[in-house]
Amino acid sequence: MTELAINQLGVVKRHIQRADKSAVEKLAKFGVATIHEAMGRIGLMKPYIRPIYPHAKLCGTAVTALLQPGDNWMLHVAAEQIQQGDIVVAGCTADSTDGFFGELLATSFRARGAKGLIIDGGVRDVAELEKMDFPVFSKAIHSKGTIKATLGSVNVPVICAGMVVYPGDVVVADADGVVVVPAAKALEVAEAAQKREDNEAGKRQQFEAGVLGLDLYKMREKLANAGLQYID
């Protein structure tokens, strides 16, 4: 268990500062790769967090849950703190792939306004979750059930797949992974992502016209200086 987790057990914070809604709406237009690059190539969760069904996408503000291995008690506690547009982001005090989450909890989360779940653990009822179109990104799919016996916390900083997530941060997830945008930087990152998207649109037109990256990025001289030789 990390020091961060040890100091935050048995706490539910009811009032959190969520990222500006307009910034979240702007970030929702961009993919994870674009946002990651626009932030300076930071913010990504580890790549083992994957969508449980194809084409799942998420963008929203984080309600965080700190879980104990094999215990989903705090997900039920977290449900009460969800507001419209939130994503529950769950870390665990130790490695666990048990099925913390399924169709019934998804029903509860959705009724509160949740857009989805990101969890550094396992989930189950995948077919039902896909039918509901309730996006989940998880470490594993596992039928093993969980108990409700040991306190964790809700709306404290958590480590999820290697990234620290603070309550209210913006979390964006798609087929390329999961990226976390600090709430205070959400608008700044959205603007940077738009500039990057505009720049890539121009490059795309040139590639479609047959221009090579060798010329567009002025690579030829550097390659020659590095010793690359063409042999006919």
Side-chain angles (χ1 to χ4, degrees):
M1 187 185 300
T2 66
E3 183 177 351
L4 181 65
I6 291 171
N7 293 334
Q8 296 288 334
L9 290 178
V11 172
V12 178
K13 294 186 178 179
R14 291 177 171 171
H15 302 288
I16 62 174
Q17 186 64 49
R18 290 169 171 82
D20 181 77
K21 287 185 178 180
S22 65
V24 178
E25 291 172 358
K26 290 177 180 179
L27 285 168
K29 298 186 297 182
F30 307 111
V32 166
T34 296
I35 294 170
H36 160 66
E37 295 283 356
M39 262 201 312
R41 301 181 69 249
I42 60 173
L44 289 177
M45 290 188 183
K46 292 181 179 179
Y48 61 71
I49 299 290
R50 301 300 303 153
I52 63 168
Y53 59 83
H55 312 302
K57 295 178 66 176
L58 281 172
C59 180
T61 43
V63 164
T64 62
L66 179 63
L67 310 176
Q68 300 287 0
D71 192 315
N72 76 347
W73 213 2
M74 292 301 104
L75 290 178
H76 289 272
V77 175
E80 187 178 28
Q81 304 307 315
I82 294 169
Q83 295 183 11
Q84 188 68 41
D86 285 338
I87 296 169
V88 176
V89 179
C92 194
T93 61
D95 183 65
S96 179
T97 57
D98 294 349
F100 291 92
F101 185 86
E103 176 260 337
L104 288 178
L105 259 175
T107 302
S108 175
F109 278 21
R110 173 161 283 170
R112 302 290 297 186
K115 298 176 75 173
L117 170 74
I118 296 168
I119 182 169
D120 200 353
V123 300
R124 58 186 187 178
D125 300 339
V126 171
E128 289 81 3
L129 292 171
E130 184 173 6
K131 288 177 185 176
M132 292 173 63
D133 195 21
F134 189 87
V136 176
F137 288 70
S138 71
K139 179 194 294 189
I141 295 170
H142 200 343
S143 292
K144 186 177 180 182
T146 56
I147 60 173
K148 300 163 182 62
T150 309
L151 289 179
S153 288
V154 172
N155 279 337
V156 301
V158 300
I159 298 174
C160 184
M163 272 301 301
V164 178
V165 184
Y166 290 86
D169 284 350
V170 185
V171 184
V172 185
D174 61 24
D176 288 335
V178 183
V179 66
V180 181
V181 181
K185 293 187 176 181
L187 186 57
E188 174 189 339
V189 173
E191 291 172 350
Q194 184 64 65
K195 289 179 181 177
R196 182 176 179 83
E197 192 89 340
D198 293 343
N199 180 260
E200 289 192 349
K203 291 177 181 177
R204 189 175 298 109
Q205 290 179 348
Q206 294 186 68
F207 282 132
E208 287 172 348
V211 175
L212 294 173
L214 289 171
D215 299 309
L216 182 63
Y217 299 121
K218 304 185 186 306
M219 297 179 183
R220 294 189 187 278
E221 184 177 353
K222 290 182 180 179
L223 288 165
N225 291 337
L228 182 69
Q229 298 181 40
Y230 288 85
I231 301 174
D232 295 323

